[in-house]
Amino acid sequence: AAPGTRAGARNAAAKAAEAAREEAALMRAWGVAPGDLKRMPFDQRAQLAERLRTSRLAQWAELIGRFRQMASGERARKVENTAGELVGVTLGDDLSRVIPSELANLGLPELRAVFAARYAAGELMLYDSQGEQSTGRGAIIACVDTSHSMYETGPGGVTREAWSKACALALLDQARHAERDFVGILFSAADKIQVFRFPAGRPAGIAQVLDFAETFLGGGTSYQRPLTAAGELLEEEFNDTARTRGDIVMITDDECGVTEEWMRGWNDAKHLLGFRVFGVAIGAPRAAEAGSVLEALCDNLRSIEDLTDVHAAADLFRVI
């Protein structure tokens, strides 16, 4: 019986080692550091692992991990220029410094005229290197659409929600790295919104991160409600700390109208607080077309079709 016992013990040890590797990979994907795991009581660690395995986005852990790795690599590229400088974003007509999402417009016939007009007016989005002040110092706010259509899948079976939440979690990492506040705003219809705040000076607990990632509101889509909330948060930050130049990332798969009165107030707030708005039309190229409401709202807009490609939004993490 001894050989059989030894073989059983080896198999059990191999299974335990594989389970430990899978658990560690799952924890890394969700941003749980190895040091945090070592300090965590066994029961708490087991409960966390079970929640991660059974969460709504559990099957997308690998996508979330790849997004976070990509963002980390893009952060490293921000400091490859002259010592003490960070790459920011500015407006101009220098084609050698045009950011990729602007160049992508040349590939869409309906947007080539828009590109030409912005080039002639010197309003193309360009990489800029003017010291640390070139990037934002206010909060990073991710407004994530959670209307019913975000359940739809794209290439590789990835849902629009999974891609959006993975991007938002990478933006949370971006904010922590830059010691900036992060706010996640989940929205759908005008009466449905949920705000998750992650202050820079406080640890981002994994329970709150999971709550943010797992929440799905359903319903229709309203641009005004989440963007109004984002603007009010940046105004509050300005009044409390005098910080300006926050960044709002609007991720949606739908078109939506806004009133002229609201638009005037929005533009006034942008001028006063100096924040930038980055738009991501996910699986909805029409929302990013020339003349769309989303184009009017955003300083920089891109359309995402391949939901397996985490690098489609790479430039966000070089300029935010």
Side-chain angles (χ1 to χ4, degrees):
T5 301
R6 285 195 293 270
R10 284 195 296 271
N11 288 337
K15 289 181 179 178
E18 179 62 23
R21 283 193 294 270
E22 290 178 356
E23 179 184 289
L26 187 63
M27 297 289 187
R28 282 197 304 272
W30 282 98
V32 182
D36 295 333
L37 286 180
K38 290 179 181 179
R39 293 188 293 270
M40 195 178 293
F42 176 79
D43 289 347
Q44 183 181 350
R45 176 172 174 168
Q47 291 173 1
L48 174 58
E50 179 62 20
R51 182 177 180 185
L52 293 179
R53 279 192 293 266
T54 59
S55 73
R56 286 188 58 252
L57 296 182
Q59 63 180 309
W60 311 119
E62 189 267 342
L63 175 72
I64 293 169
R66 285 196 295 119
F67 232 113
R68 287 179 138 154
Q69 281 188 321
M70 177 275 293
S72 177
E74 295 303 319
R75 279 196 296 275
R77 294 182 62 181
K78 292 175 76 170
V79 294
E80 287 179 357
N81 300 285
T82 306
E85 291 189 346
L86 292 177
V87 176
V89 65
T90 187
L91 298 179
D93 59 1
D94 185 350
L95 295 178
S96 67
R97 295 189 290 126
V98 174
I99 67 175
S101 57
E102 287 277 35
L103 289 174
N105 290 338
L106 289 175
L108 300 173
E110 63 272 19
L111 294 182
R112 287 173 187 163
V114 176
F115 181 94
R118 294 182 64 174
Y119 171 66
E123 294 180 351
L124 293 175
M125 299 288 284
L126 312 175
Y127 288 128
D128 189 22
S129 298
Q130 296 179 351
E132 294 188 4
Q133 295 303 310
S134 61
T135 55
R137 296 309 305 166
I140 296 175
I141 302 179
C143 297
V144 181
D145 189 344
T146 59
S147 58
H148 282 308
S149 56
M150 293 292 283
Y151 275 133
E152 292 187 22
T153 60
V158 179
T159 66
R160 296 172 180 179
E161 180 201 9
W163 192 97
S164 301
K165 295 286 183 62
C167 182
L169 292 174
L171 288 168
L172 169 59
D173 291 345
Q174 190 86 349
R176 309 305 290 182
H177 185 269
E179 299 182 349
R180 298 168 66 182
D181 291 350
F182 176 81
V183 181
I185 299 179
L186 305 180
F187 69 94
S188 57
D191 60 341
K192 292 186 177 182
I193 187 172
Q194 196 157 343
V195 179
F196 295 82
R197 303 183 71 162
F198 298 85
R202 196 181 309 162
I206 184 61
Q208 186 185 12
V209 171
L210 281 168
D211 287 343
F212 168 61
E214 292 180 332
T215 299
F216 193 90
L217 302 177
T221 303
S222 168
Y223 288 174
Q224 288 187 195
R225 182 77 187 279
L227 290 175
T228 295
E232 289 173 348
L233 286 166
L234 292 175
E235 183 178 11
E236 176 187 321
E237 181 181 44
F238 173 73
N239 291 335
D240 290 345
T241 66
R243 285 199 195 111
T244 57
R245 299 179 10 260
D247 291 307
I248 299 173
V249 181
M250 179 76 166
I251 308 175
T252 182
D253 72 339
D254 204 357
E255 298 176 87
C256 178
V258 297
T259 67
E260 291 184 12
E261 181 182 2
W262 181 88
M263 193 68 177
R264 284 194 294 270
W266 174 253
N267 289 331
D268 289 344
K270 281 188 68 178
H271 178 73
L272 174 65
L273 301 173
F275 59 80
R276 302 176 296 182
V277 184
F278 297 84
V280 181
I282 179 166
R286 287 182 58 191
E289 288 179 353
S292 68
V293 173
L294 198 58
E295 187 202 31
L297 289 170
C298 299
D299 301 298
N300 177 252
L301 177 61
R302 81 281 324 280
S303 179
I304 305 296
E305 294 294 323
D306 184 357
L307 304 187
T308 64
D309 182 11
V310 300
H311 293 279
D315 61 307
L316 282 177
F317 300 92
R318 290 196 293 272
V319 298
I320 290 180

